Amino acid sequence: MSNKLLTTQTNFRSDREFRNDVLPGETFPLGATVYPDGVNFSIFSRAHTLELLLFDRAPDPEPKRVISLDPKLHCSCYYWHVFIRGMKSGQVYAYRAYGEYAPEKGLRFDGTKVLLDPYTKAIAGEQIYDRTSASQPGDNCDRALKSVVVDTSDYDWEGDVHPRTPYATSIIYELHVGGFTAHPNSGVSDLKRGTFAGLIEKIPYLQQLGITAVELLPIHYFDVNDAPKELKNYWGYSTIGFFAPYNGYSSRTDAVGAIDEFRDLVKALHRAGIEVILDVVFNHTAEGNHQGATISFRGLDNQTYYMLEENPAYYHNYSGCGNSLRANHPVVSRFILDCLRYWVTEMHVDGFRFDLASVLARDAAGASLWHTSIVTANVLWAIESDPVLAGTKLIAEAWDAAGLYGVGRFVDLGDWFTEWNGPFRDDVRRFIKSDRGMVKRLADRILASPDMYFRADTDINRSINFITCHDGFTLNDLVTYNHKHNQANGENNRDGANDNHSWNCGYEGTIVDPEIERLRLKQIKNFFTVLFMSQGTPMISMGDEVKRTQQGNNNAYCQNNQLSWFDWSDIESNLGLFRFVKNAIALIQGLEVFRLEQALATTEGIKPYLVWHGLKLHQPNWNDESRHLAFTLAHPQLGEYLHVMFNAYWETLSYELPQLRSGHNWHRVIDTALPTPDDFCEPRTAPIVNQQQYQVEARSSVVLMAK
């Protein structure tokens, strides 16, 4: 008799011994739900039989008890359910699913694999987890992750409420929870470095900068071992526990500590007036391709959870990560909605950024839904119309890895989704580096991209404008490197984008050359000036305000080290840039012309307007060889007037200035060619500009304000 069978029979005897505490249970809610007299378990699977494994501790190599679920008593239309009397929060559990293993049919039931509950709210066992054993034949009970029963009802939110900051007044800051405070010079204790608790200590920094929302790279439980050999997954886009926060971001060592520590973070950020947006990865899971790991979904119901190719042994790879979730299957759609609702109701988050959201715009077979009308039932519109999610921020990364480019579609077809504006990033980069033919494209981006967002009845701030994000060069590296330098990732520099629209200002990499360094700093300030002078919602990436560098690595997903971390000494080294960014944020937050929700007029009048100019007033040069643009931005009813000039040419240019009514003068607020503190002057002390023309230095930006 095999050891496996012997163990099973022993556990069945134990099962009979405790049979009085096992009841049929209910199909709803899914997951493990704590009641005063016990715990109800419910899970979806089309397996032939299911076992519920109960462990004393997550590292235990075998379960203390195995409950074999009788299909006649414990299964209702593929929902397996059981109620265990007397069970409490903290119980460690997992499943085995038995059925046909026939990859050529898309069936991958494997009773030798221990499986996580997709709805588990906490995960334990990372100290013994081995991805290889989950990927190869054989029993992996002694090296598998385990689920933990959690009662989330006893947390004291102390009257916490969602800030509900409108997009029109939002400044989004994308950051990595671990990387923000992991550096030894962060000033955070060793216990709290790289954790939710560590981030709490740095909230004053975010407030000082003027941030209204943090967009956190994935904090759902992810597989750190889903990375090249000898490296670890750092970014976290390898989710396996969508309801569970990642334990590595908690300073607490108990299995459920991450839940309350995350809620402490949310509560503290809300007290500071800062919203919490989660980066969520519903386009794929950590289980990978046909050679990947069996951790949860694959072993429970491969055909339901994943989009399979014509040969169902293989997975559609619209994510670029080996598999694609079948988001528009009813079971998976419900899973996604349940997850989002949980993070809003139980964890009080304020919104979500959907990674590779175009994968969610594919039907259950993988075909694009963009050719259909808005009335077509799909998970995206179910999310947008859900009453629990109403009022939250919904941000789409409107493309996927297989070419389904949907920028404009989420805004055009929906009423609440916003989008990362990829063309804003690309076109602003190309203008600032002096590419030809970019002036008209820049003008569209400044006006919140009316060439892509056509609807006149929607908020212009549904365009999330950004120059950089986690994926790609940092802003400092954008002006320091022409080429990616990703050798540390172990893929011979093949990974990461090759076309970054970057310019190294004359030398590849760091150099002690005052002229090159001055030019690079000026270019960084130019980027920030375009970002903040544009209509739409600005987003900045962690550390760009203090010249954070990744030494030319534009795909640092596996670099959990000082290459990726926020270096807090950069603040002292770059106080002038920090001051510039902070003051620019304060400027736009104090002006109503940057808080509008309707499109600006493009002719002068009593309504808010933006009028284009070139070197001469009212004569913008849209020629492909033009590298300059100016505009007057005004809210006449409130007396707000700005004149903005961008010069991406390599020589100084002279710009005509509009005449103001008697008693008013232009004052220089921003000139990126000047050293700190003259590069930004507070409006109340900004110097008067008496000339009828302004000399804008080569590769510089200027903002004047009328007073």
Side-chain angles (χ1 to χ4, degrees), residues 616-684:
K616 294 185 178 298
L617 295 175
H618 304 288
Q619 297 181 36
N621 186 348
W622 306 122
N623 188 285
D624 282 353
E625 299 306 319
S626 172
R627 291 172 172 84
H628 63 270
L629 184 65
F631 59 91
T632 302
L633 182 62
H635 195 309
Q637 293 170 318
L638 297 180
E640 296 176 356
Y641 293 88
L642 298 174
H643 192 70
V644 182
M645 295 162 280
F646 296 127
N647 179 14
Y649 194 53
W650 38 88
E651 294 179 5
T652 297
L653 297 176
S654 180
Y655 292 70
E656 287 184 354
L657 301 182
Q659 285 190 343
L660 296 169
R661 66 180 186 271
S662 177
H664 287 72
N665 296 286
W666 290 113
H667 294 253
R668 189 194 76 231
V669 177
I670 290 175
D671 189 336
T672 62
L674 299 175
T676 187
D678 295 327
D679 54 355
F680 188 101
C681 298
E682 293 187 14
R684 59 185 177 83

Side-chain angles (χ1 to χ4, degrees), residues 510-652:
T510 57
I511 184 175
V512 181
D513 183 312
E515 284 305 307
I516 289 180
E517 283 302 302
R518 176 179 175 272
L519 175 57
R520 287 174 175 174
L521 178 59
K522 184 165 60 170
Q523 291 287 78
I524 290 173
K525 291 187 289 186
N526 289 336
F527 278 120
F528 276 120
T529 303
V530 175
L531 177 65
F532 293 133
M533 290 296 109
S534 297
Q535 298 293 297
T537 303
M539 182 188 82
I540 62 178
S541 186
M542 178 182 90
D544 277 352
E545 71 278 9
V546 292
K547 295 179 63 178
R548 187 176 76 84
T549 179
Q550 292 177 173
Q551 299 173 24
N553 191 320
N554 74 349
N555 190 35
Y557 76 100
C558 56
Q559 299 297 324
N560 188 9
N561 50 54
Q562 293 188 21
L563 184 74
S564 299
W565 298 343
F566 190 111
D567 184 343
W568 290 86
S569 69
D570 285 343
I571 300 174
E572 186 66 29
S573 304
N574 298 282
L575 279 175
L577 178 59
F578 177 82
R579 173 187 173 275
F580 181 90
V581 176
K582 178 188 69 172
N583 287 341
I585 290 173
L587 174 68
I588 65 172
Q589 287 182 323
L591 293 173
E592 190 63 28
V593 76
F594 291 106
R595 302 156 67 101
L596 303 172
E597 295 183 348
Q598 282 75 43
L600 293 164
T602 53
T603 56
E604 295 181 11
I606 61 172
K607 293 183 178 180
Y609 65 81
L610 185 153
V611 174
W612 299 113
H613 310 290
L615 300 181
K616 294 185 178 298
L617 295 175
H618 304 288
Q619 297 181 36
N621 186 348
W622 306 122
N623 188 285
D624 282 353
E625 299 306 319
S626 172
R627 291 172 172 84
H628 63 270
L629 184 65
F631 59 91
T632 302
L633 182 62
H635 195 309
Q637 293 170 318
L638 297 180
E640 296 176 356
Y641 293 88
L642 298 174
H643 192 70
V644 182
M645 295 162 280
F646 296 127
N647 179 14
Y649 194 53
W650 38 88
E651 294 179 5
T652 297

Side-chain angles (χ1 to χ4, degrees), residues 223-240:
D223 189 348
V224 295
N225 296 315
D226 189 9
K229 189 177 181 180
E230 298 181 3
L231 294 171
K232 296 295 183 182
N233 192 304
Y234 168 67
W235 282 352
Y237 293 92
S238 190
T239 310
I240 198 60

Side-chain angles (χ1 to χ4, degrees), residues 19 79 110 207 231 238 286 331 341 350 393 395 481 483 510 529 549 616 645 687:
R19 63 184 181 274
Y79 288 94
D110 183 352
Q207 290 178 290
L231 294 171
S238 190
V331 169
R341 291 165 181 156
D350 304 286
K393 287 183 165 63
I395 304 172
Y481 297 92
H483 309 287
T510 57
T529 303
T549 179
K616 294 185 178 298
M645 295 162 280

Side-chain angles (χ1 to χ4, degrees), residues 31 47 56 139 150 181 193 229 318 363 452 503 528 548 557 585 594 623 647 673 698:
D56 284 342
D139 195 299
V150 175
T181 63
R193 282 198 293 117
K229 189 177 181 180
Y318 304 120
D363 66 20
M452 299 186 310
W503 180 49
F528 276 120
R548 187 176 76 84
Y557 76 100
I585 290 173
F594 291 106
N623 188 285
N647 179 14

Side-chain angles (χ1 to χ4, degrees), residues 423-443 445-446 501 503 523 526-527 530 621-630 645-650 653 655 699-701:
F424 184 97
R425 171 199 60 202
D426 298 339
D427 293 343
V428 173
R429 288 183 179 193
R430 293 186 63 193
F431 174 81
I432 295 296
K433 71 188 284 284
S434 304
D435 282 0
R436 66 189 300 274
M438 297 311 301
V439 172
K440 183 63 174 70
R441 295 180 68 87
L442 176 70
R445 303 303 153 248
I446 290 170
H501 304 305
W503 180 49
Q523 291 287 78
N526 289 336
F527 278 120
V530 175
N621 186 348
W622 306 122
N623 188 285
D624 282 353
E625 299 306 319
S626 172
R627 291 172 172 84
H628 63 270
L629 184 65
M645 295 162 280
F646 296 127
N647 179 14
Y649 194 53
W650 38 88
L653 297 176
Y655 292 70
R699 305 186 191 278
S700 296
S701 305

